[in-house]
Amino acid sequence: LWLSNPELEQSTQDAILQLRAAEAQYEDLRVDMESRLLNERAGLAALESEYKQAQLQAKANEELGREGLIPEITVQLSRLRADELEHRVGLEKERLASIEKSVEARLASESARLEQARALAQLRQKQLDALTVRAGIEGVLQEVPVEVGQRCAPGENLARVAQPDKLKAELRINETQAKDIQ
């Protein structure tokens, strides 16, 4: 027996489309977050390289300053630049850690939304699949009390099936009439 419910069919289609949209949105966010993290890591790597160069320059200037080949102000400026870059590298590392936590949180939130959409789509699909009614036993269809196009409530009796090989008959006869029947 096949039943139909246009509203359920439409809500199932809507749930499936919402699931696909949620999957696409999750994937878009994941790619965007990975790109953002890569950009931040590249920026940190460039800053660390600049810091190392500034350290080397400061060290070289200190040597030259001890020998009197460059003025003391140049030595101090190179040391100041190295210290500033060291501080900026520390701040960038903290910022990168914060961004990584933010990315994890956003992806977890989007993942939860995706799972919610998936669960709704599965529920709607199960409800739609339940519209195909099968008898719980093998047997002969005896009665279908519903008409084509009729609306049915959940739990309503849709058909009656009997197993003719397992039918049981019971005869009830009054004691007064039992002597007449042999």
Side-chain angles (χ1 to χ4, degrees):
L1 193 58
W2 291 275
L3 304 175
S4 67
N5 182 337
E7 293 89 15
L8 182 58
E9 291 171 5
Q10 181 63 44
S11 69
T12 302
Q13 277 302 109
D14 289 346
I16 290 170
L17 292 174
Q18 288 173 359
L19 173 60
R20 288 183 186 153
E23 286 171 342
Q25 191 169 359
Y26 176 81
E27 191 60 25
D28 183 50
L29 179 65
R30 188 187 63 75
V31 168
D32 186 47
M33 292 292 109
E34 282 179 5
S35 175
R36 182 177 176 197
L37 279 174
L38 286 175
N39 286 339
E40 291 298 324
R41 287 180 182 140
L44 178 60
L47 193 59
E48 285 176 334
S49 174
E50 195 177 334
Y51 165 61
K52 287 178 183 175
Q53 288 175 3
Q55 272 185 320
L56 290 173
Q57 185 65 49
K59 197 175 199 179
N61 284 349
E62 285 174 4
E63 288 291 321
L64 292 173
R66 270 188 242 125
E67 294 176 11
L69 298 174
I70 59 171
E72 182 62 28
I73 188 85
T74 304
V75 173
Q76 289 176 357
L77 285 174
S78 63
R79 176 54 43 208
L80 185 63
R81 173 131 173 88
D83 290 345
E84 174 202 356
L85 287 171
E86 179 182 24
H87 182 67
R88 282 182 53 199
V89 164
L91 290 176
E92 281 298 313
K93 284 181 179 179
E94 288 177 22
R95 190 168 141 236
L96 179 61
S98 174
I99 289 172
E100 286 172 345
K101 287 179 185 175
S102 169
V103 165
E104 287 175 17
R106 286 189 64 193
L107 286 176
S109 169
E110 196 63 30
S111 177
R113 241 178 48 67
L114 175 61
E115 286 307 311
Q116 183 181 19
R118 184 172 284 124
L120 179 63
Q122 288 173 347
L123 173 67
R124 293 287 186 250
Q125 189 62 51
K126 282 181 185 177
Q127 289 174 337
L128 192 60
D129 293 343
L131 291 178
T132 301
V133 180
R134 298 191 194 286
I137 59 171
E138 288 187 32
V140 177
L141 182 63
Q142 286 187 326
E143 180 184 358
V144 180
V146 292
E147 300 290 324
V148 173
Q150 178 181 341
R151 289 190 167 267
C152 301
E156 187 174 336
N157 189 10
L158 300 176
R160 183 168 294 142
V161 177
Q163 291 179 318
D165 57 334
K166 294 187 180 185
L167 292 178
K168 179 179 173 182
E170 189 175 304
L171 234 32
R172 295 182 183 227
I173 301 171
N174 290 335
E175 282 184 43
T176 58
Q177 296 174 343
K179 63 180 178 173
D180 296 336
I181 300 177
Q182 290 282 342

